[in-house]
Amino acid sequence: MRIAIHPELVQGESFSARWAHELTIMGHDVDLVSLSDPDFFPRVNACAGFLWWFPPSAMERDAGRRLLSALDHGSSVVVHPDWKSCWHFDDKIAQAYLFQAAGIPIPRTAVFWRFEEAMAFFRQARYPLVIKLSFGFRGNNVGLLRSRAEAEAMARRLFGPGLATLQPSRFASLRDALRPIRAGLCDLLGTEPTRSPLREQSCMLVQEFIPGNDYDTRVNVIGDRAFAWRRGNAPNDFRASGAGRQDVDPAKIDQRAVGLAYGTARALGMRTAAVDMLCHDGEFVVSEVSYYFEPFLVRRCIGHWLFDGDEPRWVDGVVEPETAILEDFLLRLTPAGLTATG
């Protein structure tokens, strides 16, 4: 079987190198092909499958979401991640809509596309509220609005010049003031302006704040496997993502969280899903989902839950995440995918 792989630009955690090595050992033909190659589509369309582990960096995220969705929609090639797994990647507004459409339990969430609607909401809201830009990874662009004044000030920014980040910067106001001047100079000189960072503008997402959570639970679903750990909040912070305080002890994992994560992945049609959950009034709710995850934490898990019947069963042993993804991917190509060659 011939399988195309997009090589990764990052060094160290290379899924593409591992996949190419394992597929070659199995006897499959591997074609390392980049989106920038002029013959990309003829080469990929000549293959049975295509794999690309693209990260959340802006350029690769945007290219990967568009490409994988196009291939899954317009060709017969089996892809990973498929469009159901990646079209909403690093887009919290898209995820908020998706969760509600699929009936996934989440914190109360409001998305505003009009300034007046946001201001009306903030007049009667309960504080604090969680504010999220639609993009951001490892806890970036998530913050708290502690009062109506803070919420209204944030709305004026988002429905005005917009924001590239929620992280404070001494130069943000100056940068915003100079932006029209820089654009005018570019027009005068007939040059292209330098590419600005991604900005949130003319929309706003807020969620209810759920107190009493010193950690969240992350469950990585890969096919019928589930790997889980708890992530402690950063000191004096309500955010766990990006804090670097993980606990992979399976005895501390609530089985309800494992079941909710697996059910969420299946409901959304995601073969690979990192599901983040909080506890709310004794029940778990989903805060975010991503096809992408940090592989080193899966490698630290001493086992995983396997969903091969009515109830998940525990399986001891470390599993490489690249191998788990590849095994599930090959089974999508053919039931005998693990041994098929040629």
Side-chain angles (χ1 to χ4, degrees):
M1 192 170 351
R2 190 168 185 81
I3 297 174
I5 300 175
H6 196 295
E8 292 150 83
L9 300 179
V10 295
Q11 300 298 317
E13 298 283 3
S14 177
F15 278 32
S16 59
R18 183 67 172 264
W19 286 334
H21 175 72
E22 293 191 10
L23 286 168
T24 300
I25 290 176
M26 293 178 191
H28 298 286
D29 294 325
V30 174
D31 188 1
L32 292 176
V33 55
S34 173
L35 179 57
S36 59
D37 294 337
D39 57 349
F40 173 85
F41 283 99
R43 287 166 62 183
V44 169
N45 285 328
C47 297
F50 174 74
L51 295 138
W52 187 9
W53 187 249
F54 62 90
S57 60
M59 180 187 71
E60 291 182 286
R61 177 201 60 215
D62 291 346
R65 286 190 309 201
R66 291 164 176 161
L67 174 66
L68 272 299
S69 296
L71 284 172
D72 199 24
H73 188 153
S75 78
S76 60
V77 178
V78 177
V79 301
H80 179 83
D82 58 16
W83 77 269
K84 284 189 175 182
S85 299
C86 73
W87 73 265
H88 49 80
F89 174 47
D90 199 29
D91 186 340
K92 296 178 181 65
I93 291 178
Q95 290 178 27
Y97 288 148
L98 178 61
F99 292 148
Q100 293 175 84
I104 306 298
I106 62 172
R108 288 193 299 274
T109 302
V111 178
F112 303 106
W113 296 97
R114 296 182 182 276
F115 174 74
E116 296 79 8
E117 293 173 353
M119 297 298 272
F121 176 85
F122 295 139
R123 285 195 290 271
Q124 50 79 41
R126 295 181 61 182
Y127 297 92
L129 289 170
V130 177
I131 170 72
K132 296 182 178 182
L133 300 190
S134 62
F135 55 90
F137 203 63
R138 299 188 179 97
N140 290 324
N141 292 335
V142 177
L144 275 185
L145 302 173
R146 294 175 175 82
S147 66
R148 173 181 168 183
E150 286 188 7
E152 292 179 343
M154 181 64 69
R156 291 187 184 96
R157 287 298 305 273
L158 288 172
F159 287 92
L163 281 172
T165 177
L166 291 180
Q167 276 50 60
S169 170
R170 293 180 301 166
F171 306 105
S173 297
L174 178 61
R175 207 166 43 238
D176 288 342
L178 292 177
R179 184 172 290 107
I181 299 174
R182 184 179 62 182
L185 285 173
C186 290
D187 289 341
L188 182 64
L189 297 173
T191 60
E192 290 289 333
T194 55
R195 184 177 180 182
S196 299
L198 185 64
R199 298 180 70 80
E200 191 92 314
Q201 194 171 28
S202 301
C203 61
M204 188 173 187
L205 183 153
V206 295
Q207 283 184 335
E208 67 173 317
F209 173 70
I210 302 176
N213 284 274
D214 296 328
Y215 61 88
D216 71 2
T217 301
R218 158 69 65 92
V219 177
N220 270 30
V221 178
I222 303 175
D224 291 327
R225 298 178 170 108
F227 307 81
W229 54 89
R230 301 198 317 190
R231 307 186 301 179
N233 294 354
N236 302 314
D237 201 336
F238 73 101
R239 295 170 300 177
S241 181
R245 306 176 70 186
Q246 299 90 7
D247 186 346
V248 297
D249 183 355
K252 298 179 180 178
I253 302 299
D254 193 312
Q255 298 301 296
R256 296 175 300 165
V258 177
L260 175 59
Y262 184 78
T264 296
R266 294 287 77 81
L268 302 183
M270 299 177 67
R271 298 302 305 177
T272 302
V275 186
D276 299 336
M277 290 159 289
L278 296 168
C279 198
H280 187 19
D281 293 334
E283 300 293 335
F284 282 92
V285 293
V286 175
S287 58
E288 292 183 28
V289 68
S290 171
Y291 102 90
Y292 189 88
F293 56 86
E294 297 89 347
F296 74 91
L297 288 169
V298 175
R299 297 188 183 106
R300 287 178 52 192
C301 293
I302 62 173
H304 63 274
W305 287 268
L306 180 64
F307 287 79
D308 59 353
D310 294 334
E311 296 293 331
R313 61 182 175 88
W314 176 256
V315 179
D316 285 315
V318 175
V319 176
E320 295 287 343
E322 307 97 312
T323 300
I325 291 173
L326 184 60
E327 289 177 354
D328 184 67
F329 178 74
L330 289 172
L331 288 172
R332 290 170 55 202
L333 291 174
T334 167
L338 294 177
T339 57
T341 61

